[in-house]
Amino acid sequence: MSRVDRTPALTTTSFAILGLLAIRPWTTYELAVQMERTLNRVWPRARSRLYEEPKKLVAHGLAEAARETVGRRPRTVYTITEEGRRALAEWLRTPGAGPSLEFEQNLKLFFADFGTRDDALAQLEAAREWATAQLEVFVTAARDYVEDRGPFPQRLAVTSPGARFLVDFYDLVDRWAAWASTIVQGWPEDPSQAEPTLEVDQYILRLAEERARRPGGDAAVPAPDLAPHQVSGP
Amino acid sequence: MSRVDRTPALTTTSFAILGLLAIRPWTTYELAVQMERTLNRVWPRARSRLYEEPKKLVAHGLAEAARETVGRRPRTVYTITEEGRRALAEWLRTPGAGPSLEFEQNLKLFFADFGTRDDALAQLEAAREWATAQLEVFVTAARDYVEDRGPFPQRLAVTSPGARFLVDFYDLVDRWAAWASTIVQGWPEDPSQAEPTLEVDQYILRLAEERARRPGGDAAVPAPDLAPHQVSGP
DNA sequence: CTCGGATAGTCTCGAAGGGACTATTCTGGA
DNA sequence: TCCAGAATAGTCCCTTCGAGACTATCCGAG
């Protein structure tokens, strides 16, 4: 009531920063750089945001700020507190949200019948380039890690399953765009005149149904019966 | 300068709405529902946003609003203009952004060493449930489409490649989470004590490098040499 | 000695999210 | 036939975010 304190609420982004602080102390600038290089891939946030979060953490008692100075330039080093570690563990216990995907190139493909076939092909080509670029950055970083030149090698056991997801995701985008290109190339100039390819639709449906029937339980998953991103010829 | 009009700029969301209007006229409510059911999967936006967009389109001359009334309740039906169709085609010509992914469950996995093994397993299980739920909704909708009961069957040719991406994405999340679960089950109670599994890391690296070498050109993509989401036993 | 890139931030504005709130119309079952 | 609840058709508010402009110092290579 009245106009009491109101320290802004903690968000997922706050806990992402808090997690980094649990690894070691950082300055805000280092946090921002680290975030851009790694966490951005699963939790993208604007740089400007990242400068606010540590302050919130301090306000909540989850981190401490130490003002230092390099020459005449001041900087702030943040360190996690014991309460911060408890809060982080607590956050890890609560269920997280499922993936949320924004995919403008796919959105444009969805409206392809209001443009030209070449427009659609350009979107798919851009998607492939995106995937390639992501993978290149990834390979460089991953090679460093495997050759023991990466930071925090002791965290590798914990981080590699998540990394696997990213590689597979980039690979999916690439394979899908390549496959979709072959489909779109078969369209007429004006995509609104394209004939529905029933094989594709039934194939999609079969894939989806098959998966929906797969037991939700556990254990090893068999390799897919249907080769991904290949359309069987008629 | 001074304090002139300033009709707010058009965003990707504006064009998503404009694309729907290119299919047929809608009321704002219908647009919001349609968006939630379909476009949300590649371009998720809050409902409240969707009520603003058509007004912007009108302000830019890309759509027209017709006030109607059902009984005593007023409603507004939006129709695309010729200029709107031109703007849409123009937008389709410009390259779209690559995918952007938010994945909180994976983020929590990334910090698994500050929680317990069971916390990590719970995140993965939640990811599987999410994927299953998405697929179930998808299957229901897709079955309707294939059995000719879906709206806009004439757009099927254009929309099914994009749908394929979604099925594969959900499938990826599911397979990955199942695979990752088997890895995490091998961890000790305290994940910070987990041993790095070099096989996994080198496997990831090999996958990534192999892909990075793949020609960025075109044409059919061969089936992957390595079965997705299976770790070869030692 | 200097110049460009890395370090270390602040600030602003508009876009987006999330939900509370209102009100009328339609539909299926008692 | 009547009523409850779902669907229709929005408005409003507050907070968070994103994108980028802006400032300033430090450090290393040539």
Side-chain angles (χ1 to χ4, degrees):
Chain A
M1 323 298 137
S2 68
R3 57 191 67 258
V4 239
D5 58 337
R6 286 296 68 207
T7 52
L10 296 171
T11 66
T12 298
T13 308
S14 315
F15 286 101
I17 298 286
L18 188 60
L20 289 178
L21 290 182
I23 301 174
R24 74 163 176 81
W26 311 74
T27 68
T28 325
Y29 177 77
E30 289 172 322
L31 283 171
V33 171
Q34 187 65 16
M35 194 86 169
E36 257 162 30
R37 273 210 301 252
T38 62
L39 291 189
N40 240 13
R41 290 162 181 273
V42 286
W43 198 253
R45 281 305 173 261
R47 204 192 180 105
S48 58
R49 280 272 73 226
L50 307 182
Y51 281 87
E52 291 305 309
E53 295 300 342
K55 299 176 184 171
K56 285 206 289 188
L57 294 177
V58 171
H60 284 266
L62 308 186
E64 280 169 353
R67 309 203 71 87
E68 298 183 352
T69 164
V70 177
R72 285 190 301 147
R73 187 172 53 188
R75 66 176 196 172
T76 313
V77 178
Y78 291 92
T79 309
I80 195 169
T81 63
E82 269 317 302
E83 200 184 331
R85 289 191 186 276
R86 276 194 300 274
L88 180 60
E90 167 77 28
W91 176 71
L92 289 172
R93 261 199 304 283
T94 65
S100 168
L101 182 72
E102 267 182 24
F103 196 170
E104 197 186 18
Q105 287 151 352
N106 199 349
L107 177 66
K108 293 196 178 190
L109 184 63
F110 182 82
F111 292 122
D113 47 346
F114 305 116
T116 72
R117 183 189 56 195
D118 287 351
D119 292 346
L121 286 172
Q123 299 301 331
L124 292 170
E125 184 51 32
R128 294 204 71 187
E129 274 162 25
W130 178 89
T132 303
Q134 301 301 311
L135 272 165
E136 262 161 27
V137 173
F138 190 96
V139 167
T140 313
R143 210 185 329 256
D144 276 11
Y145 253 108
V146 168
E147 291 169 10
D148 250 0
R149 289 189 285 116
F152 319 120
Q154 78 284 2
R155 297 195 70 242
L156 202 49
V158 146
T159 54
S160 50
R164 168 82 196 266
F165 179 82
L166 292 173
V167 175
D168 283 342
F169 177 67
Y170 302 143
D171 193 53
L172 166 61
V173 171
D174 182 66
R175 285 179 192 279
W176 166 76
W179 167 84
S181 284
T182 68
I183 303 287
V184 172
Q185 273 157 17
W187 289 354
E189 281 276 324
D190 174 3
S192 69
Q193 304 304 312
E195 298 284 325
T197 43
L198 248 201
E199 319 94 81
V200 173
D201 299 315
Q202 279 166 353
Y203 178 55
I204 291 174
L205 189 55
R206 210 161 57 232
L207 257 183
E209 281 182 324
E210 187 173 276
R211 164 56 197 101
R213 270 200 314 277
R214 212 146 67 209
D218 50 357
V221 179
D225 295 22
L226 301 155
H229 299 295
Q230 280 195 315
V231 199
S232 48
Chain B
M1 314 300 143
S2 71
R3 57 193 67 258
V4 239
D5 57 335
R6 287 295 66 207
T7 51
L10 297 171
T11 65
T12 298
T13 308
S14 315
F15 286 103
I17 298 286
L18 187 60
L20 289 177
L21 290 181
I23 301 174
R24 73 164 177 79
W26 311 74
T27 68
T28 324
Y29 177 78
E30 290 171 322
L31 283 171
V33 171
Q34 187 67 12
M35 195 83 170
E36 258 161 30
R37 274 209 301 250
T38 61
L39 291 190
N40 241 11
R41 290 161 180 273
V42 286
W43 199 253
R45 283 302 173 264
R47 203 189 181 108
S48 58
R49 280 274 72 227
L50 307 181
Y51 280 88
E52 291 306 308
E53 295 300 341
K55 299 177 184 171
K56 283 206 290 187
L57 294 176
V58 170
H60 284 265
L62 308 185
E64 279 169 352
R67 312 204 69 90
E68 297 185 351
T69 163
V70 176
R72 286 188 299 148
R73 187 172 52 189
R75 65 177 196 171
T76 313
V77 178
Y78 291 92
T79 310
I80 194 168
T81 63
E82 270 316 303
E83 201 184 329
R85 289 191 188 276
R86 276 195 298 276
L88 180 60
E90 167 78 29
W91 176 71
L92 289 172
R93 258 200 306 285
T94 64
S100 168
L101 181 72
E102 267 182 25
F103 196 170
E104 197 186 19
Q105 287 151 353
N106 199 348
L107 178 66
K108 292 195 178 191
L109 185 64
F110 181 81
F111 292 122
D113 47 346
F114 305 117
T116 72
R117 184 189 56 196
D118 286 352
D119 293 345
L121 287 172
Q123 299 301 330
L124 293 170
E125 183 52 34
R128 294 204 72 186
E129 274 162 25
W130 178 87
T132 303
Q134 301 301 310
L135 272 165
E136 261 161 27
V137 174
F138 190 97
V139 167
T140 313
R143 210 184 330 255
D144 277 11
Y145 253 108
V146 168
E147 290 168 12
D148 250 1
R149 289 188 284 117
F152 320 119
Q154 78 284 3
R155 296 196 71 244
L156 201 49
V158 146
T159 55
S160 50
R164 168 84 197 263
F165 178 82
L166 293 173
V167 176
D168 282 344
F169 177 67
Y170 302 143
D171 194 52
L172 167 60
V173 172
D174 182 65
R175 286 179 192 278
W176 167 76
W179 167 82
S181 285
T182 67
I183 302 287
V184 172
Q185 273 157 17
W187 287 355
E189 281 276 323
D190 174 4
S192 69
Q193 303 305 311
E195 297 285 323
T197 45
L198 250 199
E199 319 93 81
V200 173
D201 299 316
Q202 279 167 353
Y203 178 55
I204 293 174
L205 189 55
R206 210 159 58 230
L207 257 182
E209 281 182 324
E210 187 172 276
R211 164 55 199 103
R213 270 199 313 277
R214 213 147 65 209
D218 50 358
V221 179
D225 294 22
L226 301 156
H229 298 295
Q230 280 194 314
V231 199
S232 49

